[in-house]
Amino acid sequence: MKTLCSVLGLLLLIACCCYAIPQALDFNTSPVNCCFNFAVRGIQARRVSHITKSHRSCLKPAFIVRTIKGKELCYRDTFQWALNMYNKLHNTQGSKQQA
């Protein structure tokens, strides 16, 4: 009888965990993209497909640049080329949305 109760309790615990884990993933607050190594030279603007800022909880604030080939490069948030590229892409996208 003790074995049966233990097995049923274990199955109930597993069922609760299996239900809770997918919901917990929706509320993941850990940073996904943080930078630890930084590029020191800019690339041609035509090769940039997307640029974002790193998550605010990352230790080192940075820009993450994705190239048209899918490669990701990190630039310090003080690197002028990255700052200009970020402003250029985001101001252009903003003006397209308003029109």
Side-chain angles (χ1 to χ4, degrees):
M1 186 68 177
K2 288 181 184 180
T3 306
L4 180 61
C5 288
S6 297
V7 170
L8 289 176
L10 186 60
L11 286 174
L12 182 61
L13 181 65
I14 290 171
C16 289
C17 289
C18 289
Y19 178 74
I21 288 174
Q23 290 180 349
L25 292 176
D26 290 339
F27 300 106
N28 187 3
T29 58
S30 65
V32 176
N33 289 329
C34 288
C35 295
F36 301 100
N37 298 315
F38 300 95
V40 293
R41 292 189 326 191
I43 60 174
Q44 296 174 351
R46 64 186 170 94
R47 292 189 175 169
V48 175
S49 69
H50 188 68
I51 184 169
T52 59
K53 291 184 179 180
S54 61
H55 193 271
R56 68 178 183 270
S57 65
C58 294
L59 294 176
K60 299 175 182 179
F63 290 106
I64 302 169
V65 175
R66 180 180 288 263
T67 66
I68 56 175
K69 292 187 177 182
K71 185 176 178 182
E72 287 188 346
L73 302 167
C74 289
Y75 291 93
R76 295 189 188 281
D77 66 334
T78 56
F79 191 69
Q80 194 61 46
W81 175 88
L83 187 59
N84 292 343
M85 184 60 63
Y86 181 83
N87 290 332
K88 178 182 174 183
L89 290 178
H90 286 270
N91 288 339
T92 301
Q93 291 174 355
S95 62
K96 287 180 182 176
Q97 292 173 354
Q98 292 174 356

